[in-house]
Amino acid sequence: MPVGIRAGHPTFWQVFGAGSRPALAIHCSLASSKAWAGVAERLSGRTTLTAFDLPGHGRSAAWPGEGDFLSLSAQIAASFIDRPHDLVGHSFGAVVALRLAIAAPEAVRTLTLIEPVLFAAARGSAAWAENLAVMERYRAALAAGDRERAAEVFTGVWGSGVAWGKLPANERAAITERIDLIEAGTPALFEDSGHILAPGALESLGMPVLLIRGARSPAIIEAIAEAVAAWLPDVGVATVPGAAHMLPITHPAETAGLIDVNLDRG
């Protein structure tokens, strides 16, 4: 489990499996590379999967608060790719994966996007307004200095579906400690700072793409998936019954199975 300088940032990563296909997985906000353990175990015979901790997450160094969080994350991800990879991302990590795929499509063999939170793709919809209302409650708590309440509001929508009070105390503490990292992703998710929605960007992705969402996820996830899928040349969309936003952790078998299907397409 090495730690090294990646794109100028001290970064922790780990490697799962010993399969013939190199893969890279990018986790969601407030999680870490260990979120992929269950999925990677089920793909271990087919992939050698590298997963790294985003800046400020897990065992990587703190986010310095300067520059664009999406750009740094994509640059770190790119540093692991020396030949075509199967690329997988979840939530914010899926937006990073999209940014990387647009920048270097020749480096991506297949692209699996699990609940991408590119909110800008659903701008103007009813789901967009609902999501803004949630974020206003989260930011009000954060502004009042009540970080735990902010974490509770945020994970109530973007968590695993388990009530805040039923999460282990150490998990609640870890989420609360890092809750302000959500703001680091705001330009990318709400304003499309990565220009993923620019004319011709999504249309340029010729590799097989699979969009995966949970049946119990917020409505804006379906709106995003529909908007993104409309521009992709080779895309499939799958829904995992009973799953909420954190399906790589809560439903690793189903998630791995769907990734495996997309690998076949590549």
Side-chain angles (χ1 to χ4, degrees):
M1 297 183 182
V3 177
I5 303 299
R6 295 280 178 165
H9 192 82
T11 300
F12 170 85
W13 68 91
Q14 52 188 314
V15 179
F16 302 91
S20 61
R21 292 179 66 146
L24 180 69
I26 310 171
H27 67 80
C28 67
S29 296
L30 306 181
S32 72
S33 55
K34 68 180 181 181
W36 295 109
V39 170
E41 179 183 1
R42 291 164 172 82
L43 295 173
S44 61
R46 191 169 192 188
T47 67
T48 297
L49 187 146
T50 300
F52 67 94
D53 292 346
L54 290 166
H57 295 73
R59 294 167 61 181
S60 289
W63 159 241
E66 299 176 355
D68 183 68
F69 190 72
L70 175 66
S71 295
L72 176 57
S73 300
Q75 289 162 10
I76 292 171
S79 75
F80 289 97
I81 298 180
D82 57 1
R83 60 192 186 281
H85 273 54
D86 295 298
L87 186 58
V88 182
H90 172 223
S91 192
F92 179 80
V95 180
V96 177
L98 263 175
R99 179 70 185 87
L100 177 56
I102 290 168
E106 70 284 352
V108 182
R109 188 172 180 177
T110 65
L111 179 61
T112 302
L113 305 171
I114 306 167
E115 301 244 332
V117 287
L118 185 59
F119 300 127
R123 185 184 298 276
S125 67
W128 163 269
E130 291 172 6
N131 189 53
L132 285 184
V134 172
M135 295 305 292
E136 286 175 4
R137 295 198 301 273
Y138 145 77
R139 290 196 175 101
L142 202 61
D146 192 345
R147 296 170 62 86
E148 183 168 0
R149 175 57 183 162
E152 181 179 5
V153 170
F154 184 83
T155 58
V157 177
W158 299 108
S160 63
V162 177
W164 178 256
K166 293 185 177 180
L167 291 174
N170 62 337
E171 187 174 337
R172 295 198 306 270
I175 294 171
T176 300
E177 180 184 357
R178 294 184 170 92
I179 191 62
D180 50 356
L181 283 171
I182 297 302
E183 294 304 304
T186 293
L189 307 186
F190 288 86
E191 302 162 21
D192 189 28
S193 65
H195 307 293
I196 292 169
L197 301 174
L202 290 171
E203 297 95 319
S204 71
L205 299 181
M207 76 287 293
V209 182
L210 178 62
L211 285 153
I212 304 174
R213 70 181 187 91
R216 296 171 51 219
S217 292
I220 197 167
I221 289 295
E222 183 175 7
I224 293 167
E226 289 177 353
V228 170
W231 297 105
L232 294 169
D234 183 2
V235 62
V237 181
T239 301
V240 177
H245 183 61
M246 298 300 292
L247 60 163
I249 295 175
T250 61
H251 292 69
E254 294 89 338
T255 302
L258 289 168
I259 293 171
D260 199 37
V261 169
N262 204 35
L263 297 183
D264 287 339
R265 297 172 64 221

